Amino acid sequence: MRSDAVKKGMQQAPHRSLFNALGMTKEELDRPLVGIVSSYNEIVPGHMNLDKITEAVKMGVAMAGGTPIVFPAIAVCDGIAMGHIGMKYSLVTRDLIADSTEAMAMAHQFDALVMIPNCDKNVPGLLMAAARINVPTVFVSGGPMLAGHVHGEKRSLSSMFEAVGAYTAGTITREDVEEFECKACPTCGSCSGMYTANSMNCLTEVLGMGLRGNGTIPAVYSERLKLAKHAGMQVMELLKKNIRPRDIMTKEAFLNALTVDMALGCSTNSMLHLPAIAHEVGFDFLPELANEISARTPNLCHLAPAGHTYIEDLNEAGGVYAVMNELSKKDLLHLECMTVTGKTVGENIQGVRNKNPEVIRPVENPYSQTGGIAVLKGNLAPDTAVVKRSAVCEEMMVHEGPARVFDCEEDAIAAIKGGKIVAGDVVVIRYEGPKGGPGMREMLNPTSAIAGMGLGSTVALITDGRFSGASRGASIGHVSPEAAVGGPIALVEEGDLIRINIPENRLELAVSPEVLEERRKNWKPRKPNVTTGYLARYAKMVTSANRGAILEIPD
């Protein structure tokens, strides 16, 4: 066993003395050592229940003959971090999580791992770590929050942000906002729509790294505790069979994930995280793959914020496996891929039934014949930009309008709430990319303000930053190259005409090459707005959004 390096032989007598200090018995040391990576904390609603999940996993490992040992991983609540300097520290935690988990697992030579994430960067960070460490590993998340209920309708965190915009527009009262505050987020768990956390937890199932229900069983259901126990038991089976993450997360598994991403209508953040995870296993995941797969993949789900159904509804309808079974009817998945169940994708989804065609559209009757995410290109985004097509209303699929240019999120929000943005405008927020932010902040506040003020069907927003999965509308992010490195978005001036054509995957600035070249001569890089600490190091190492914002050592 791998752990023999820290517990067998005379040279390891000092090591065993330290295990004795932990109160471990000889019987425990004779068993495989299974690291339980718990992301429990008391600040993230999606993580406040992970202590219970951790105890259930420990029980499962012990029942199956392993010795469970818990160590922590950090996690940021994107909702609480939103709209201030804290959001600069969200995406950057993905790499901190991967690095620190790698360090703990390698230093202590665990035989196997169970990862317990739940929220946005926590899930991909641990998937990246699993790929690096490559010992038998199972994922079990903390589960999604139940939807809230306000005035008889299901609601979620995006409803809360949009309520603030509606209050600013004078269409609801302070008392209405307070009711949303108390009811929009009623339980622990990852926020209840198809936002980034739930997108990544569902895609963990598709990648084959989580058991059935990992992405959809609500956090407050007892079934979630049973799932955690089974995850603990199953990692011992993987250890016996020596099935490892790189046996599971193959090129074909990532293609499956992107296909189901299109069908579910996942967060655009998946286009940052899937490439970063794939990079760890040596697969060059190009953003353009999205359009190729989207062209043949129907969009089957309109979960919030794209529609009025929630993760709890997806769970009742049959979950991720039911979506995959629908897609398999058109031969859209690689069914031979191995998974943590010890079975292939095809074996896992065999006989799974779609129990609610209103939540999961049959493959013969999709919302659209193409997928939920589109990658755009053009002279404004020579590399790529990304939009959640399934959350864009029909009238904004093709749009052109004057640029309203802002060099940070705060200035844009002030203009939106000040009534300075009008129908037809294209709001441009730049210097918010991976380097320029640094940290590539999410723009949920401005998109929610636009929607809440009734401009969601007439105003577009373009940024080299990114969007929360809770954003909806013509919200185009990940513009690459970003402004901080001199991308064309840095050259846009107030009033320039911008043309958006999502069906044709185009994003154009109606300015001649000659004028752009003249502007480039006068452009000067901005001084970094952060010069110390982790963010400064991150800014020096991070690559472009179209590469997944992975870290590389600069030349």
Side-chain angles (χ1 to χ4, degrees):
M1 288 190 290
R2 179 189 177 97
S3 62
D4 287 351
V6 296
K7 63 185 188 183
K8 297 286 187 183
M10 183 54 66
Q11 292 299 317
Q12 280 64 42
H15 304 67
R16 290 193 295 275
S17 73
L18 295 170
F19 281 111
N20 285 331
L22 290 169
M24 279 201 184
T25 65
K26 182 180 183 300
E27 290 80 2
E28 287 174 296
L29 285 177
D30 286 341
R31 296 178 173 190
L33 301 186
V34 180
I36 313 297
V37 188
S38 173
S39 305
Y40 169 74
N41 64 49
E42 294 183 341
I43 188 63
V44 184
H47 291 235
M48 64 180 284
N49 65 320
L50 296 191
D51 55 340
K52 308 295 190 299
I53 300 294
T54 300
E55 288 303 313
V57 169
K58 287 175 66 178
M59 185 175 292
V61 169
M63 285 192 294
T67 298
I69 303 173
V70 178
F71 66 90
I74 64 168
V76 162
C77 177
D78 277 25
I80 294 173
M82 193 73 65
H84 55 89
I85 190 172
M87 183 45 68
K88 293 178 183 289
Y89 286 88
S90 171
L91 178 61
V92 304
T93 64
R94 184 186 72 185
D95 297 273
L96 277 176
I97 291 162
D99 291 349
S100 59
T101 303
E102 174 193 0
M104 286 292 288
M106 298 303 291
H108 300 103
Q109 291 293 289
F110 291 106
D111 296 301
L113 296 166
V114 180
M115 305 289 199
I116 309 175
N118 210 29
C119 288
D120 297 22
K121 315 310 163 305
N122 188 240
V123 183
L126 290 179
L127 283 165
M128 290 164 67
R132 291 181 196 173
I133 301 160
N134 200 37
V135 298
T137 303
V138 175
F139 275 66
V140 56
S141 77
M145 184 183 292
L146 293 179
H149 290 81
V150 183
H151 300 160
E153 294 185 15
K154 285 187 176 182
R155 299 290 188 176
S156 61
L157 183 64
S158 56
S159 312
M160 185 70 253
F161 276 90
E162 290 179 16
V164 175
Y167 173 76
T168 303
T171 56
I172 65 173
T173 66
R174 179 179 294 275
E175 289 73 22
D176 291 327
V177 174
E178 289 173 354
E179 185 174 6
F180 271 93
E181 281 182 46
C182 294
K183 296 180 178 179
C185 299
T187 74
C188 63
S190 48
C191 296
S192 56
M194 187 52 81
Y195 310 147
T196 306
N198 291 328
S199 294
M200 293 310 301
N201 282 323
C202 287
L203 295 183
T204 298
E205 274 192 65
V206 184
L207 281 171
M209 291 299 294
L211 300 177
R212 182 180 181 182
N214 179 70
T216 61
I217 297 171
V220 295
Y221 283 14
S222 298
E223 192 67 26
R224 175 63 57 176
L225 295 175
K226 295 179 184 178
L227 181 73
K229 291 173 185 175
H230 283 131
M233 288 186 263
Q234 188 59 29
V235 79
M236 299 304 295
E237 286 298 311
L238 295 182
L239 184 58
K240 290 175 187 174
K241 297 175 180 177
N242 196 29
I243 298 174
R244 303 174 181 231
R246 291 182 200 168
D247 300 322
I248 294 170
M249 290 193 284
T250 60
K251 173 183 176 181
E252 290 74 22
F254 282 101
L255 296 178
N256 281 349
L258 190 51
T259 299
V260 178
D261 186 325
M262 293 297 169
L264 284 172
C266 290
S267 164
T268 51
N269 280 315
S270 64
M271 294 302 296
L272 281 174
H273 300 321
L274 288 176
I277 302 161
H279 175 74
E280 299 293 345
V281 299
F283 171 44
D284 193 8
F285 186 110
L286 299 175
E288 291 84 353
L289 272 172
N291 289 341
E292 180 185 326
I293 288 178
S294 176
R296 60 176 183 263
T297 306
N299 178 224
L300 305 182
C301 300
H302 268 193
L303 297 149
H308 301 290
T309 53
Y310 293 79
I311 301 298
E312 62 194 61
D313 302 310
L314 177 61
N315 186 62
E316 295 302 319
V320 175
Y321 278 20
V323 176
M324 294 174 74
N325 195 46
E326 287 289 345
L327 294 172
S328 72
K329 295 174 183 176
K330 291 188 71 173
D331 297 322
L332 292 172
L333 296 176
H334 295 274
L335 300 180
E336 74 285 358
C337 292
M338 179 52 60
T339 73
V340 294
T341 66
K343 299 177 181 178
T344 65
V345 168
E347 289 172 317
N348 285 343
I349 67 174
Q350 187 173 12
V352 176
R353 190 164 57 89
N354 178 0
K355 299 175 183 177
N356 190 339
E358 297 300 315
V359 175
I360 305 170
R361 288 275 188 96
V363 74
E364 303 84 9
N365 180 36
Y367 283 101
S368 66
Q369 294 294 339
T370 53
I373 288 178
V375 171
L376 313 182
K377 277 192 171 186
N379 67 343
L380 187 51
D383 290 340
T384 51
V386 179
V387 64
K388 187 172 182 175
R389 178 183 3 214
S390 60
V392 180
C393 62
E394 187 61 37
E395 52 266 45
M396 289 299 290
M397 286 290 186
V398 178
H399 177 78
E400 65 177 53
R404 306 298 309 279
V405 183
F406 305 94
D407 287 349
C408 67
E409 176 191 8
E410 289 83 357
D411 290 349
I413 291 171
I416 294 165
K417 292 187 174 179
K420 296 179 181 178
I421 303 301
V422 299
D425 284 347
V426 178
V427 176
V428 176
I429 305 178
R430 61 192 180 190
Y431 296 102
E432 291 284 8
K435 284 186 181 292
M440 202 179 184
R441 289 194 289 180
E442 287 186 342
M443 302 291 148
L444 179 56
N445 271 337
T447 59
S448 298
I450 287 170
M453 295 182 74
L455 296 170
S457 61
T458 57
V459 169
L461 196 155
I462 297 172
T463 181
D464 54 5
R466 61 196 177 91
F467 294 105
S468 163
S471 292
R472 61 188 176 98
S475 303
I476 299 168
H478 307 197
V479 170
S480 301
E482 63 176 290
V485 298
I489 192 171
L491 310 178
V492 181
E493 294 185 358
E494 188 79 8
D496 285 350
L497 188 67
I498 292 177
R499 297 191 178 107
I500 300 165
N501 192 318
I502 295 173
E504 294 184 4
N505 303 316
R506 301 296 298 171
L507 181 62
E508 301 284 351
L509 179 64
V511 175
S512 71
E514 294 77 18
V515 171
L516 284 178
E517 186 55 37
E518 193 62 33
R519 291 181 186 178
R520 182 171 297 284
K521 291 177 184 176
N522 297 321
W523 178 80
K524 294 180 181 178
R526 287 162 48 117
K527 292 182 180 179
N529 54 20
V530 177
T531 57
T532 60
Y534 177 57
L535 282 181
R537 296 197 302 276
Y538 181 88
K540 289 180 180 178
M541 296 177 68
V542 71
T543 60
S544 179
N546 70 308
R547 296 187 58 202
I550 60 172
L551 301 186
E552 288 185 341
I553 298 172
D555 294 332

